[in-house]
Amino acid sequence: GVEVSMKRFVHAAIAALALTPSAARAQQLPARLDSAVRRIFDSGAYAPQRFGPARWADGGNSYLTLEPSSAVNGYDFVEYDAATGARSVKVPATELVPAGAKQPLVPQDYAFSADGHELLIFTNTRRVWRENTRGDYWVLDLATKALHQVGGPRVPESRLMYAKFSPDGSRVAYVLYGDLYVEPAAGGPATRLTHDATATLVNGMSDWVYEEEFGLRDGFRWAPDGRSIAFWQFDMSGVRDYLMLNVTDSLYPFTVPVQYPVAGTTNSAVRVGVVPAAGGKVTWIRLPGDPRNNYVPFMEWAPGGQGQLLIQHMNRAQNRDAVVLADAATGDVHPVFTESDSAWVDLVDDVHWLPGGKAFLWPSERDGWRHIYEVPRDGGPQRLLTPGGYDVVSVAAVDDAAGWLYVIASPENATQRYLYRVSLAHPGAPQRLSPADQPGSHSYDFSPNAHWAFHTYSTFDSPPVMDLVRFPDGTPARTLVTNDRLRAAVADAVRMPVQFLKVPLADGATLDGYMIRPSDFDPNKRYPVLVNVYGEPAAQTVMDRWGGSTMLWHRMLADQGYLVVSFDNRGTPAPKGRAWRKIVYGSIGPLASQEQAEAVLAFARSHPYADSARIAIWGWSGGGTNTLNAMFRYPDVYQLGMAVAPVPDQRLYDTIYQERYMGTPQENPEGYRRGSAINFAGGLKGKLLIVHGTGDDNVHWAGTARLVNRLIALDKQFDFEVYPNRTHCICEGEGTTLQLFSTLTRYLTTNLPPTP
């Protein structure tokens, strides 16, 4: 009857489509575009030169790298003298072959004991939350060549976490199934230090949201004297499981639970304990307040042998960070000072103590700029070390002996980064050390003694170069990475240099931007515009540094006949002062989308070859969110959008990130409503592609599913690409990255072609 007739009609239609050349071609990129995308994402043609990974050794007088062994299929530990470049093999791969094995261990991380007599190797790793933080650990005695597995044969494969030597190298501590253990470094029975781990309570490790938003993974610290261990305990019993569904990896679907606190819901209860390394009673640090509504994002042993811990205790709103010293023996807490802000305060995850342990360095925005202060341990008056109207981006190093503070900053250009130094004894104007003839972005990995650094330099148009530089003057000693092969490979792609922009807004603010033009650019033509957006407090897009594969993809699109542009709206973390960054407090979303729309229109007005009737926008994560905001709130500005892994509803994102900038949904319901793109979906007019991975444990695809339902209810047409079980990077599985960028390329060039 009707059902049979309908089936025949569908089958006939499918057959007809299969035989139609134009329909078949619509599923594939044209050959030249396909070849270009494959060259960027699948050929290895643009792979950068690798160095290391390198580690400083001998206090900073030498460094170690892993290099392929000529004897076996493995890696040698190779040491280089920083001053002379003399090379020596410190640990050959032949010494890393376990008894009964044919191949050496492949180090994925490692550490030498403080006395240099033993090597701890992390291998065979597995992902826990976002990173590979569990695996197998092995200890090699460099004198006897004895190699044994930490935990012994009783430990299941790839289950140990965060193993590290005691300060004297005699023991190794680690986490197993949420409890802390200590055993002799030479092997032997382990002592279990904690005994209460469950599926929802863990010691010495963190929960999902602390790892993602505070960068806390390794959750314990050896005392300097090796007699005790301080550790975090997470009680996740109040945090609901977020259930992701895996439908591809077994005959029947199964759920993947992640304890994930969405904004406004219950957090883990977190506390800090100190336990004797030989085993015994735990002393709990008596931090005030509800442990579920305060955060403990930082803890370390204070120097000086006084048995004290320096702890940051932050309120849930993250606008007050109480820095305290805790007595490890009694658990008593003594305040040092409190950092506060009417918006939010940033976590300080690297505290440098000055000689003698009587003071430490601390960044603060209290005067409107991010500056570095000297903070006395006893809570006395603080001293400003970096005066002036500029932001310190980060502390690069401190040379205690010579009295220099090295910082990364860029007072004149927020798209660039340079190294400066200031005197600790006589603070004043910063002195630039990055070479004057190298405008762009510089980063430095300093040795512990601050006498040497690995210096990496790049620009938007030129790949990174790395050299070894000597301090205090920053003179180059030798080049470590030239990237000559990559430079030759991209020569054609970067023939047309990027153009950086200053875009004025109506209220007087000026946004940084960039424009990539076609290699055969003709100012008499009219080009469609593709905007690359992020726009949230976590990152800038307009940076004068090498952008890798995504930047090369943007250049490829430009060569097809597009102007590719990007703008950093207010609220992004540019070094332009506190007011610039924190103007968005309580209202993430509306200002970013407004300024993005205003910026692209201002750009089009001042560049007559930009076609203001053909504007596209795309972004990932926060950029995907702002792509939705652009398409829904400013439908007459943008004709096409591609939103990858967006957050359409802010109520569904995690507590720490979302509440930092918005407060809780209970406190700020109107802010959440106005900030969430899903509530403005009715404005959609143009072409919209939404992309998400169903295994995204960070930005859950449930938000995208809700948006899809909303668009269906509104009878809005859109396109949807789902990647089964892929996480936030949408990178797992053979061919995934290539296929994704092929899809984005096809969607743009088909629906907003470079010629009208």
Side-chain angles (χ1 to χ4, degrees), residues 4 42 53 111 121 162 206 214 228 238 262 282 296 344 445 456 464 469 523 536-537 586 676 703 731 733 742 744:
V4 173
D42 197 44
I121 294 173
Y162 311 123
S206 71
F214 287 142
S228 57
V262 299
V282 175
V296 190
W344 70 85
D445 178 2
T456 303
V469 293
E536 291 212 357
S676 296
C731 58
S742 295
L744 297 175

Side-chain angles (χ1 to χ4, degrees), residues 634-675:
Y634 299 92
D636 295 328
V637 174
Y638 303 94
Q639 285 69 55
L640 179 144
M642 301 183 295
V644 183
V647 182
D649 189 338
Q650 294 179 1
R651 296 174 304 169
L652 302 183
Y653 201 51
D654 73 62
T655 51
I656 294 178
Y657 182 91
Q658 204 64 55
E659 293 175 13
R660 178 185 301 151
Y661 310 117
M662 292 290 295
T664 66
Q666 296 88 340
E667 298 164 336
N668 185 17
E670 179 61 13
Y672 274 78
R673 188 197 68 80
R674 292 184 63 250

Side-chain angles (χ1 to χ4, degrees), residues 214-246:
F214 287 142
L216 178 63
R217 296 179 176 89
D218 173 359
F220 70 92
R221 308 284 183 265
W222 277 100
D225 61 8
R227 295 181 180 179
S228 57
I229 291 175
F231 65 96
W232 278 266
Q233 182 187 79
F234 283 77
D235 178 0
M236 299 175 280
S237 58
V239 182
R240 291 192 61 179
D241 281 344
Y242 201 100
L243 300 179
M244 297 184 296
L245 186 64
N246 185 318

Side-chain angles (χ1 to χ4, degrees), residues 158-294:
S158 302
R159 282 294 171 185
L160 298 192
M161 302 177 70
Y162 311 123
K164 45 186 173 284
F165 286 118
S166 61
D168 64 1
S170 66
R171 291 154 294 164
V172 175
Y174 54 86
V175 174
L176 174 62
Y177 294 122
D179 274 319
L180 277 163
Y181 292 77
V182 170
E183 67 181 55
T191 300
R192 186 173 179 177
L193 304 184
T194 61
H195 301 264
D196 52 359
T198 67
T200 58
L201 189 146
V202 294
N203 303 288
M205 57 182 287
S206 71
D207 67 359
W208 186 94
V209 74
Y210 265 65
E211 178 179 299
E212 171 65 19
E213 306 300 357
F214 287 142
L216 178 63
R217 296 179 176 89
D218 173 359
F220 70 92
R221 308 284 183 265
W222 277 100
D225 61 8
R227 295 181 180 179
S228 57
I229 291 175
F231 65 96
W232 278 266
Q233 182 187 79
F234 283 77
D235 178 0
M236 299 175 280
S237 58
V239 182
R240 291 192 61 179
D241 281 344
Y242 201 100
L243 300 179
M244 297 184 296
L245 186 64
N246 185 318
V247 300
T248 64
D249 292 347
S250 68
L251 186 60
Y252 284 87
F254 59 92
T255 58
V256 180
V258 177
Q259 286 151 327
Y260 182 106
V262 299
T265 67
T266 303
N267 276 318
S268 297
V270 182
R271 58 179 178 170
V272 172
V274 181
V275 63
K281 182 181 178 182
V282 175
T283 299
W284 296 106
I285 304 303
R286 291 195 285 272
L287 294 170
D290 180 358
R292 293 192 186 277
N293 287 302
N294 289 278

Side-chain angles (χ1 to χ4, degrees), residues 505-507 511 569-570 589-601 626 629-630 633-634 637-638 674:
L505 302 183
D507 67 357
L511 306 189
N569 52 264
R570 283 178 289 186
L591 181 66
S593 55
Q594 174 190 326
E595 292 193 348
Q596 288 288 329
E598 190 177 341
V600 75
L601 291 177
N626 276 315
N629 278 322
R633 297 170 192 262
Y634 299 92
V637 174
Y638 303 94
R674 292 184 63 250

